Amino acid sequence: MNVITAPAWLFWLPAAIALAAACAGLAADAAGRRAGALAIIFFGLAGAAGVAAYTAWMHPVQLALGDAFVVGRGFAGVAALGYLIAALGVLAGGSRLSRRSNGPGIGALMAFLAIASQALASALDLLSVLIALEIVAVGSYAVIAGARTDRSDEAAVRYFVQGAVATSLAVLGLALVHAFGGGAVDYGTLAVTMAQAPARPALLAMALLLAVFAFKLGAFPFHAWVPDAYETSEASGAAVLSSVPKVAALAAMFVLFRGAVFEADAFAVLANLAAALATASIVVGNLGALRQSSFARMLGYSGIAQVGYALIGLSAGDAGAGRAVLFGATYAVSVAAAFICAEALAVAEPRWNGTVAGMKGLGRRHPLIGVALAASMLSLTGIPLLIGFWGKLLVFLSAVGEGWTWLVIVGVIGSVVSFGYYGRVLKVAYFEEPDEALAVLGDEPGARGGSAAWAAAIAILLVIGGGVAPVAFGIEPMLRLLAVM
Amino acid sequence: MFVVALPVLVPLAGLALVVLLGRDDARARVLSVIATLATIAASVVLLLEWRGSDGILAWVAEGPSAVPVARLAADGLALPLVLLTALLGFVAVLASWTVTSRVRTHYALLLALQAAVTTVFLADDLVLFYVAWEAVLIPMFFLIGGWGHERRRHAAMKFFLYTFAGSALMLVGLLLIIFWGGGTTDLGAEVEALPTHVQTAVFWLLAAGMLVKLPVIGVHTWLPDAHTEAPTAGSVMLAGVLLKMGGYGLMRVAVPYAPQAFADAAWVLAVLGVGGIVYGAFLAFGQTDIKRLVAYSSVAHMGFVVLAIATGTALGYGAAMLGMVSHGLVAGLLFFLVGALYERTRTREMARLRGLVAAVPRWGGVFVFATLASLGLPGLSGFPGEFLTLAEAFSRWGGWIAVAGVGVVMAAVYGLAAVRRIGHGADAPEAACRDLTGREWLAAAVLGLPIVALGVAPGLVLSATERAFSALAAIGGGF
């Protein structure tokens, strides 16, 4: 077979750049240069994103490093997106983080999260996947607690306790798989041994591992940590938490459940399980989000519903699961943009109380943040000409192709309901007059949102550019960057 | 043929210019006028090119992708609506001359709206069709919510939620078409007929989006709110062209892809149509707000369009097209007049408006003219479409179509009653206002002349659509 292989360094180079930048940033912090430290981390992450994006564009999906990792196309694309969003998180958080002693540490943690997410998305070995999941989890606890408020401490501890339960499930699942595999943990061997394993214990192992991923994604019934975590962490941290690990986990699920280990006919029930989780997540997430007054909590609940749309893809066969990763990527861009707007607003108006109602007249006070906010809300709803539409379209199309029409109808109805809360943000930000007290804020320092405004501008380019480009140039460039099969 | 893309690209270019150069309000206005006039010119050029062609002009974007989304095609079904959109786009710009708040954004949204609606009519790709269909919502949502009247926020949300709910279901129907068509998204592609049970699902899913847009009775409640609360330009575009997307979508997508299911559903559509004609007319009669009256009359007129489509004959489709173009012109003119009146008097209550024919004779004269066109006076554009609709429906379903006659009579009643209430009587204090200006005359003439032309020579539309509709009726089995 005539396969052009990518040099292995294309796989590890982004991670090495990000790691080096994070370490250099910590060193600069130790030397007392917080702003410089954050700048180093930002540029390192941006460079890592560039290298990974180049790999995604140039190289098809293939194995690397002794068949331990899968690289190219969507796998590199997911990594690139992780580094890019982490970079934007650092950029957005820059104004506030550079004023706090733990700021550069939080920036470095975001870099570690992105590195671990790349490993999670690409590993072809169950032990590596679970270790990467655990690193992501530990990093997430720290980022949440890094906000240094009582509520964020509480949310981090609660997340940690629930995460510990999930970890124990993971260990149990790993033990079962390990037993069937006679000690092997690489996917190549496991695919064979799991197909021959006794049906019921094998299904139990699959269900346990599915539960672990459902917890990481924040799908029903493992969703309780999500709203608290998003609300109490700083918005720049939430931008990374809510997006990067989710895409990586979706990619890992695609490989584990559809590409390698649980692909035998005995595991066909997975589709029904995923459909049930999807339906419940869409219902619970949407109903929960409708009742929220806090912007970040709303995004938390709506994130549960969004994971439901991704799970629709998982229930729709191999192609659908691949599209779920692409959907995850478009969701990640949109939700990160939304949190970046929240960060920019928090910088521009320190007295903003975090509620949707507090965004009155935002569109007129801060036109740039307003446009970014509008674009991200419409993108999360799934309106065309914004990037979120394409993810939903492709997931729904593959699900219709597998005969899941009713599930797609649940999905589109969920999307319509979601405009009830996403649209409310637009209504408040654009159609209501600003409060008198806030209207006079215009000239205070930082009133434009500082570096977070730059991050918001980049987010606008991604959300709108990624939505319009497929109309002008066809959908293929997007598939080239984000398709995993 | 690149000329097919011009009616979409010209307003987009205008949008870019307005955003970049329109810092000054007056300049934004002038740029918008130029852009919409250029769009009319581009549409006329397209029409002339099309007349010299073999029925369809197509254009595909040159790009790196083997599966382009940006594919446009102009045929007899699309062109009348493209021209209508171009005319109303110009009128909408004239109608928003007095907007003083965020002028640049207002015009930018109008031009974006025009480009999106035109793309719906020209799309030759199922994905592009849906993209454009939904893209229409974004500028309209902000136009209603940002520049509308007292209850604009509520109306904007309601408009978006209703139409999005319909079109989200429509998306599922489109996905089923794409899947069963073997993955092609080409809107005109020759594909094997869908299995009957799939056709039924496809038809009703598509109809969900299109019937909400039209709207038919039962899912029409967004319309009075949105039309009444929208700024004048928004109302003109809503009534003039957005409603037509529904009728166009039925004829462009739903009937060709699900002909069997359409034939089975024809009687349901007919009932909805007749229901809309009667219900809209009665509710219009009951209104005290002149803008709401015009809004409810739209429900009645769209009832005629649904009834005409339901007949499934070439002449029926032609009648639907005539009805849509006529209603676009007439309702556009009425909303424009009512908007101009509201600017002067700050009221839409008919009880406070009296004696306008005497007080502002030019406004009053045009209003009487538009009302007569609306109620279907022979010689004006409303008549041929409604007459053909009733004739075709009668030959298909027989006597009980006479129920729709009640609606026709009621249309005369509410139209003439409105003229009597606000046109005659002793002058109210509100009547002491300025008459139509030169700019407003221009807008009225742009819509009034085609109203007369189509009334005298409905063949202008029918000859253009003949070939497309004969083919469409042949697919449906031809009743």
Side-chain angles (χ1 to χ4, degrees):
Chain A
M1 211 160 45
N2 184 18
V3 179
I4 305 165
T5 48
W9 56 265
L10 278 178
F11 170 66
W12 55 256
L13 185 62
I17 295 173
L19 187 62
C23 294
L26 290 176
D29 180 34
R33 295 176 177 258
R34 278 185 223 150
L38 286 166
I40 291 170
I41 297 172
F42 167 73
F43 284 111
L45 284 169
V51 174
Y54 170 80
T55 313
W57 188 258
M58 297 304 292
H59 295 287
V61 174
Q62 58 198 281
L63 304 181
L65 296 181
D67 295 354
F69 291 93
V70 55
V71 300
R73 288 286 178 270
F75 292 99
V78 165
L81 195 69
Y83 292 119
L84 179 61
I85 291 175
L88 291 178
V90 173
L91 181 63
S95 312
R96 288 203 285 183
L97 292 180
S98 61
R99 273 184 257 132
R100 285 216 316 266
S101 64
N102 69 348
I106 303 273
L109 274 172
M110 292 183 193
F112 293 141
L113 271 177
I115 297 167
S117 294
Q118 187 192 358
L120 172 60
S122 333
L124 288 178
D125 149 356
L126 196 52
L127 202 53
S128 306
V129 165
L130 292 180
I131 289 173
L133 259 182
E134 212 49 30
I135 297 177
V136 169
V138 171
S140 304
Y141 308 144
V143 168
I144 295 167
R148 287 193 171 167
T149 64
D150 289 347
R151 294 199 59 209
S152 72
D153 285 352
E154 185 196 327
V157 169
R158 278 169 52 184
Y159 183 22
F160 172 73
V161 171
Q162 295 178 36
V165 175
T167 304
S168 65
L169 293 180
V171 170
L172 209 56
L174 177 66
L176 276 172
V177 172
H178 195 260
F180 296 135
V185 286
D186 65 297
Y187 283 2
T189 316
L190 287 181
V192 178
T193 55
M194 290 309 290
Q196 295 163 352
R200 289 202 176 168
L203 278 177
L204 178 64
M206 185 197 74
L208 284 169
L209 290 172
L210 186 64
V212 175
F213 279 101
F215 176 80
K216 189 75 247 166
L217 291 171
F220 180 88
F222 307 101
H223 60 280
W225 62 273
V226 178
D228 287 337
Y230 290 7
E231 188 189 16
T232 57
S233 57
E234 270 187 348
S236 57
V240 179
L241 284 185
S242 60
S243 57
V244 178
K246 273 188 197 166
V247 199
L250 284 169
M253 287 173 88
F254 165 72
V255 177
L256 178 64
F257 293 105
R258 290 297 181 187
V261 179
F262 297 105
E263 59 179 351
D265 289 343
F267 303 107
V269 68
L270 172 73
N272 297 327
L273 213 53
L277 287 182
T279 308
S281 299
I282 290 169
V283 171
V284 169
N286 274 317
L287 293 183
L290 279 173
R291 290 182 304 152
Q292 303 309 317
S293 56
S294 151
F295 180 66
R297 266 190 105 71
M298 180 276 280
L299 286 177
Y301 275 101
S302 78
I304 298 165
Q306 299 274 0
V307 166
Y309 308 133
L311 289 174
I312 289 179
L314 191 68
S315 59
D318 298 355
R323 293 295 183 250
V325 180
L326 192 145
F327 167 80
T330 63
Y331 165 70
V333 171
S334 318
V335 76
F339 276 115
I340 286 169
C341 293
E343 178 73 27
L345 185 59
V347 173
E349 293 177 4
R351 275 178 283 173
W352 177 48
N353 56 8
T355 60
V356 174
M359 293 177 154
K360 272 183 192 169
L362 172 71
R364 218 172 296 183
R365 289 205 307 283
H366 307 288
L368 177 75
I369 303 175
V371 171
L373 188 69
S376 63
M377 290 299 117
L378 291 170
S379 181
L380 287 167
T381 314
I383 301 294
L385 297 183
L386 301 155
I387 195 167
F389 165 70
W390 298 101
K392 272 190 186 167
L393 176 78
L394 292 171
V395 163
F396 289 165
L397 181 58
S398 55
V400 163
E402 292 282 320
W404 287 103
T405 306
W406 70 264
L407 192 54
V408 172
I409 291 178
V410 170
V412 298
I413 291 174
S415 301
V416 174
V417 172
S418 77
F419 191 75
Y421 45 88
Y422 293 134
R424 195 160 58 92
V425 175
L426 299 183
K427 188 175 90 163
V428 171
Y430 275 95
F431 305 158
E432 293 188 4
E433 301 300 322
D435 286 338
E436 291 296 318
L438 289 170
V440 296
L441 275 174
D443 296 326
E444 282 182 19
R448 299 243 177 107
S451 61
W454 284 99
I458 297 172
I460 293 175
L461 286 180
L462 288 173
V463 172
I464 298 182
V468 174
V471 177
F473 306 117
I475 191 107
E476 278 175 2
M478 183 182 264
L479 293 180
R480 192 164 172 171
L481 282 171
L482 291 170
V484 286
M485 52 191 304
Chain B
M1 292 289 286
F2 183 64
V3 68
V4 182
L6 284 180
V8 177
L9 295 180
V10 170
L12 283 181
L15 164 70
L17 287 177
V18 167
V19 170
L20 293 175
L21 306 175
R23 192 166 283 278
D24 177 37
D25 287 357
R27 200 191 289 167
R29 273 186 207 111
V30 172
L31 283 172
S32 305
V33 168
I34 294 171
T36 46
L37 281 175
T39 312
I40 294 178
S43 306
V44 171
V45 169
L46 174 59
L47 178 71
L48 296 176
E49 284 283 332
W50 173 79
R51 289 178 71 91
S53 75
D54 60 351
I56 295 183
L57 284 178
W59 174 78
V60 181
E62 298 284 336
S65 174
V67 199
V69 172
R71 283 181 295 180
L72 303 176
D75 64 1
L77 177 49
L79 271 170
L81 295 172
V82 170
L83 278 167
L84 176 69
T85 309
L87 283 183
L88 285 169
F90 177 59
V91 171
V93 168
L94 291 181
S96 35
W97 211 257
T98 49
V99 168
T100 51
S101 127
R102 293 160 292 164
V103 174
R104 174 165 56 165
T105 318
H106 183 93
Y107 282 112
L109 289 172
L110 272 182
L111 290 167
L113 181 68
Q114 192 177 357
V117 178
T118 311
T119 310
V120 171
F121 295 141
L122 289 175
D124 196 25
D125 180 282
L126 290 167
V127 173
L128 182 65
F129 177 77
Y130 182 77
V131 166
W133 184 284
E134 292 286 49
V136 167
L137 292 186
I138 304 173
M140 202 67 222
F141 174 72
F142 285 105
L143 276 172
I144 297 176
W147 285 267
H149 303 300
E150 309 82 41
R151 294 177 61 243
R152 59 198 163 86
R153 299 179 200 111
H154 171 75
M157 286 297 281
K158 192 168 174 181
F159 162 74
F160 199 109
L161 278 172
Y162 262 72
T163 48
F164 183 40
S167 53
L169 293 175
M170 184 181 87
L171 174 64
V172 183
L174 293 174
L175 294 179
L176 281 170
I177 292 176
I178 294 173
F179 170 70
W180 284 92
T184 177
T185 60
D186 191 345
L187 183 45
E190 293 279 328
V191 292
E192 265 183 61
L194 308 180
T196 312
H197 70 283
V198 178
Q199 278 199 21
T200 308
V202 163
F203 182 81
W204 284 112
L205 286 166
L206 293 176
M210 291 150 183
L211 295 181
V212 169
K213 205 78 170 186
L214 261 168
V216 297
I217 178 173
V219 287
H220 66 282
T221 58
W222 65 269
L223 182 143
D225 282 343
H227 283 59
T228 309
E229 299 303 325
T232 303
S235 305
V236 168
M237 290 303 275
L238 257 177
V241 289
L242 261 67
L243 305 187
K244 278 68 201 176
M245 287 161 56
Y248 174 81
L250 282 174
M251 292 191 279
R252 169 66 77 199
V253 186
V255 175
Y257 279 103
Q260 190 57 48
F262 165 66
D264 294 342
W267 68 272
V268 183
L269 295 183
V271 169
L272 288 172
V274 173
I277 294 170
V278 176
Y279 177 85
F282 271 96
L283 280 204
F285 182 61
Q287 299 306 315
T288 58
D289 177 329
I290 181 73
K291 207 171 176 186
R292 271 189 109 77
L293 183 148
V294 182
Y296 273 106
S297 80
S298 291
V299 176
H301 285 116
M302 290 300 109
F304 275 103
V305 173
V306 178
L307 181 61
I309 293 174
T311 63
T313 63
L315 209 50
Y317 295 136
M321 180 58 80
L322 264 178
M324 292 203 293
V325 173
S326 165
H327 176 259
L329 298 166
V330 174
L333 182 54
L334 279 170
F335 275 118
F336 176 75
L337 290 170
V338 172
L341 186 65
Y342 178 79
E343 275 170 22
R344 293 162 165 82
T345 62
R346 313 311 295 177
T347 182
R348 303 186 305 262
E349 282 300 318
M350 286 191 279
R352 294 177 54 192
L353 298 163
R354 289 190 310 274
L356 288 173
V357 171
V360 276
R362 283 179 288 185
W363 186 93
V366 180
F367 182 75
V368 172
F369 167 80
T371 309
L372 292 177
S374 174
L375 61 82
L377 187 75
L380 298 178
S381 66
F383 175 71
E386 294 187 5
F387 177 76
L388 274 178
T389 303
L390 291 176
E392 285 295 297
F394 184 77
S395 65
R396 169 111 197 250
W397 287 290
W400 68 268
I401 291 302
V403 178
V406 177
V408 178
V409 174
M410 279 307 292
V413 171
Y414 70 72
L416 295 176
V419 167
R420 185 185 58 76
R421 280 155 86 180
I422 71 169
H424 301 291
D427 286 7
E430 278 81 2
C433 59
R434 212 155 36 91
D435 209 342
L436 292 186
T437 63
R439 165 181 62 84
E440 289 162 335
W441 262 125
L442 176 61
V446 166
L447 297 177
L449 293 178
I451 290 175
V452 176
L454 285 184
V456 179
L460 290 175
V461 168
L462 289 179
S463 65
T465 58
E466 193 180 8
R467 195 185 324 192
F469 285 144
S470 301
L472 193 60
I475 298 174
F479 297 102

